[in-house]
Structures are given as C-alpha cells and as structure tokens.
Amino acid sequence: MTQQGVRWTADQVLALAPDPASRTAGSRLGTAGPWSGAGSSDEGTVWGLCEGGGSAPYRTVVDVADASGPAYHCSCPSRTLPCEHALGLLLLWSGGDGAVPRGEAPEWAGRWIAGRRTRTEGKQNPGSSGSAGPEAARRRAERRAERVTAGAVELEQRLADLLRGGLAAAEQSGDGLWEETAARMVDAQAPGLAARVRELGTLAGTGPDRPVRLLEECALLHLLGRGWLRRERLPEGLAATVRSRIGLPAPADGPAVRDRWLVLAQYDTADSRLTTRRIWLYGTDSGRTALLLSYGAAGRAPELALPVGLVLDAELSAYPGTGQQRMALGERFAPPAPTDVRPPGTTTARAAARYGEALRDDPWLDSVPVTLDRVIPVPDGDGWQLADADEDAALPLTPAARSRPGLWRLVALSGGAPVRVFGECGHRGFTPLAVWPEGPGEAVPLC
C-alpha cells in the first residue's frame, strides 16, 4: 500500500516529538529554507538535505509507509528519535505545497530503506531461537517465584515496622529508607514492588495531604504483597493482575483482534533507568480501548511511534488480567491513514463511576481511559476543571495537566464552546490527552 494522497497534519507530526525541545527545534526546520534535494516516493519515503553546523548537510530520510510506524535516519549526531531534522522534514512534507516533490530516491536514501525493509522481513520470519525448552523455563519461573515470595514477606515486615514507629519517623528518614527497601525488592526480582516503594519516597514532604496519601499508598502496597502471598486463593483474573503488578512478565495470550485502531494519544514518561511510551488506541469496529507500551533506554525515545488522529489496520492481543487494557501489537496490514472517526463520549459523572468500577478488578489502577463529550474547560480557583455543557457536574484536572502547555491549547480550541476530550480519569482528577472541536476536524494532541 502506498502513501499517495495521504499526508499528515502538522499536529500529527509534532506529536511524534520525543520532548518539547525537539518539538521547538523541529518546528523551526519545517520551512523550505534550510532544505535542498527534498523529495518523496509513492512507496512512502521522504528524504532531504538539511543545512547544519558542518561543511556537509545532514542527510535525513523517513519511511512513513512502515506499518509499525514511521522509521527515521539522519546523519546528525543527535541520539533522539525522531531528531529535529526528521521532524522538520515531515513538517515540510505535511504542508503539501510542492516543497517535497515526488521523484526517485537518491542512492543514500534508497540504500537505507532497502536495508531497513530487509531487516524487518527478517524479524517477521525469525529462525530457530535455540531456547532451552519448557522444563528449564518452568524451573526458572519457580526460582523467581520463591525470590518474590521472600521479598513480599520482607516487605510485609518492613511495612509493619514502619507503621509501628509512625509515618512521621518515615518522613524524617528521607529517601534513603525507601531506596534501600526498593533495592531489596529489585534483589527479590519484584520490579513492580520496587517501583511502588520508590513512589512512596516521592510522597514524603509534598503537600498538606501527604500523611493521608502515604497511608493510602502503604495500604495498597500491603494489599499487593498479601495478594501475591495468597495468589492461589484468588480468582485467576485477579491473580494474573497481581502477577502483572508485581512485575512478572507474561505473554499476550489473548485472541488476536483485528480492527481499524484510531490512535488517540501518545506520550512518554521517563526516569533514570527507562523511557516508557504509552499509546492509546480505540477500535473503530470493536469499540475497545487498548494501551500499547514501548520502552527505550534512559535518554532514548522508544522505537514505536504512531501519529495521533490516524487509524491503523492491525491485530492486537490482550495481556492476562481482569480488566486489562494493555495489548500487544501484532500483524499490521497497512500504514497509518487519516480517518474521520471519533470515539464515543460520556459525561463526567459516568467517567468517575467508570473508574470506580475498574478498581474492583484492579485496586492498584491509577486511572482509566475515558472520552468526555460536550465538556467545557473552566477555571476553578487555582485550578481548572472540565464541566459538562448539559449537566451540573465537572471533573477537576490533575496537577500534572494544569502544568502542561496542552491545557492552553485545549482552552483555545474550546473558546467557551463544548468539545470532545480523550484522557485519563483517576483519583487525582482528569488528564486531557487529545481534543476534537465541535464539527468536523481531526484530533489535536494535548501532550
């Protein structure tokens, strides 16, 4: 399938930026001035030479027809993907004003595309993996389960000591207490427990409600540990959820669901170890909302990238667990393409109720994906909220959402009129991730 006649919008291109600095730098390069030799092919390749600081221009090429998402190559020294030159080239191409004419790819661009597609075919047809067999895998799983159990027992004792001594003493201990406990959970091969312990460390000394939040998070951590220790007594779906929250890997063994998946949102979170990309999809036929996770080493953007507002014809398979929304991306049948489809919306009251219902299946769930219909962003004291246009109800925006520039884009697009907003609804409020104005128009990313 070619990309002839299919061009992305500037918002869809900028949604691929790994960070605000890349977005700003790429926007500056989205004009014809710094480019020469730009062109595109019917197969979905875009290339160009961009003036840089050296004597030779940077060679930039993007494959927008790859069914797994756009792929990039640039001769610049940047380690981010996509770099500012790839973003600028795509912005130039998205303008559709003849600055990127159709033609034959130069040798350097054609060589990269041919090599990439050869590697992709190799991944789709792997040879023998040489794995050790199911018996060895079973023994490894048993040994890991024993280590996790020992870690959960130790964690229970540490939480009991913590509460016996009082939460005030824990706050006075600083981050060292939590980091040492998290390290013990890493040694026990329970990364999920370690991550939740580190989150406890971030709560100390933050806000007047910190004692309540610290007690709540300690209770959830205790519940997770007890869930692991008594997992044989749990329903299978809840036991799978506990294993997932502990951090034990499991294959996506659900039946493959082929659909035209609308890309609702894409955003990254990072810590000192890992960059995690979250991509929300909506099945236009199945009505199912799915989450794709992709990872990159610290400071590196994950490879998978899907422009917001496009639709992807692909198969997805669910991971085990009650109420699990995470799925794995399987076979892709065509590159992402434009669509006029929008996800159905609901009210703010129903969104809050949906989160409450989801907690029954997964008590450790921070939020659920929700599309709100006919809501208006309005100020609320020092914060903001999304108010129903037709009902006397509203949802507050999370502190993180209030600090993002996407809030002002949402306010500007609304202009006091109702809009449809996709985002995450949880115990801290609502985080908007994409918006559709009233009337025709594509999704506008807010993150």
Side-chain angles (χ1 to χ4, degrees):
M1 178 177 179
T2 72
Q3 290 289 304
Q4 191 166 7
V6 175
R7 288 189 186 272
W8 303 345
T9 66
D11 284 331
Q12 288 166 344
V13 171
L14 291 176
L16 300 172
D19 50 58
S22 298
R23 186 178 296 112
T24 301
S27 298
R28 289 197 297 264
L29 296 175
T31 61
W35 293 95
S36 61
S40 62
S41 71
D42 288 339
E43 288 74 33
T45 307
V46 185
W47 61 83
L49 302 172
C50 186
E51 296 177 2
S55 58
Y58 295 129
R59 294 179 171 183
T60 307
V61 57
V62 182
D63 182 6
V64 296
D66 194 310
S68 62
Y72 322 92
H73 174 74
C74 185
S75 60
C76 76
S78 174
R79 298 180 61 191
T80 61
L81 284 176
C83 68
E84 61 191 76
H85 308 100
L87 290 171
L89 178 61
L90 287 176
L91 287 172
L92 187 67
W93 168 74
S94 69
D97 57 1
V100 185
R102 295 195 177 274
E104 184 176 349
E107 185 273 337
W108 57 269
R111 185 172 63 250
W112 178 81
I113 286 295
R116 172 171 175 78
R117 291 180 177 168
T118 298
R119 291 190 296 272
T120 301
E121 292 174 0
K123 291 180 181 179
Q124 294 173 347
N125 301 283
S128 174
S129 62
S131 59
E135 181 59 26
R138 184 189 63 80
R139 290 196 298 268
R140 288 195 299 271
E142 288 179 350
R143 289 194 296 269
R144 181 169 185 180
E146 291 173 358
R147 299 188 69 173
V148 173
T149 297
V153 170
E154 180 180 350
L155 180 61
E156 286 286 286
Q157 184 61 54
R158 287 176 177 246
L159 287 175
D161 293 343
L162 170 67
L163 296 176
R164 190 178 298 113
L167 296 180
E171 293 193 68
Q172 294 171 1
S173 301
D175 295 340
L177 169 67
W178 307 111
E179 281 299 325
E180 194 269 337
T181 303
R184 293 292 297 159
M185 296 304 103
V186 172
D187 293 341
Q189 294 185 291
L193 291 178
R196 298 194 76 90
V197 169
R198 288 195 179 96
E199 289 179 6
L200 288 175
T202 66
L203 293 179
T206 57
D209 62 341
R210 62 186 179 275
V212 174
R213 294 177 59 199
L214 188 58
L215 182 60
E216 290 173 345
E217 292 302 322
C218 284
L220 286 172
L221 188 57
H222 165 74
L223 182 64
L224 183 55
R226 298 302 293 177
W228 169 261
L229 294 175
R230 301 185 179 185
R231 59 193 182 279
E232 292 85 0
R233 308 180 190 180
L234 300 178
E236 177 50 37
L238 183 56
T241 298
V242 168
R243 290 192 292 268
S244 174
R245 292 295 182 183
I246 288 286
L248 297 185
D253 57 2
V257 179
R258 182 175 179 178
D259 207 332
R260 288 171 50 82
W261 299 95
L262 173 64
V263 184
L264 296 172
Q266 172 181 290
Y267 68 95
D268 295 350
T269 56
D271 56 28
S272 60
R273 301 166 182 81
L274 199 66
T275 298
T276 302
R277 173 164 294 164
R278 290 170 171 81
I279 302 176
W280 284 109
L281 305 176
Y282 171 74
T284 59
D285 295 328
S286 65
R288 185 168 184 171
T289 302
L291 173 65
L292 301 182
L293 295 181
S294 182
Y295 302 96
R300 298 291 299 252
E303 182 175 349
L304 180 62
L306 297 174
V308 174
L310 300 188
V311 69
L312 179 68
D313 184 3
E315 288 183 343
L316 271 63
S317 298
Y319 284 87
T322 306
Q324 177 67 260
Q325 288 165 322
R326 185 187 174 192
M327 303 183 77
L329 183 59
E331 184 176 358
R332 286 140 285 186
F333 302 96
T339 181
D340 294 329
V341 174
R342 299 182 178 188
T346 188
T347 64
T348 59
R350 182 57 191 148
R354 187 176 300 175
Y355 175 58
E357 294 164 359
L359 288 175
R360 293 181 301 187
D361 295 327
D362 185 352
W364 307 278
L365 191 63
D366 288 328
S367 61
V368 293
V370 175
T371 301
L372 300 176
D373 192 25
R374 292 187 54 76
V375 291
I376 304 172
V378 295
D380 178 30
D382 295 333
W384 284 79
Q385 61 182 2
L386 290 176
D388 284 300
D390 306 314
E391 297 183 14
D392 186 18
L395 276 175
L397 297 190
T398 61
R402 297 198 298 266
S403 63
R404 294 176 180 173
L407 169 61
W408 305 113
R409 175 178 287 192
L410 171 61
V411 173
L413 287 171
S414 167
V419 291
R420 185 173 300 190
V421 182
F422 170 77
E424 296 170 347
C425 180
H427 61 96
R428 301 286 289 171
F430 187 87
T431 301
L433 300 174
V435 58
W436 293 262
E438 287 279 278
E442 298 176 325
V444 177
L446 301 174
C447 54

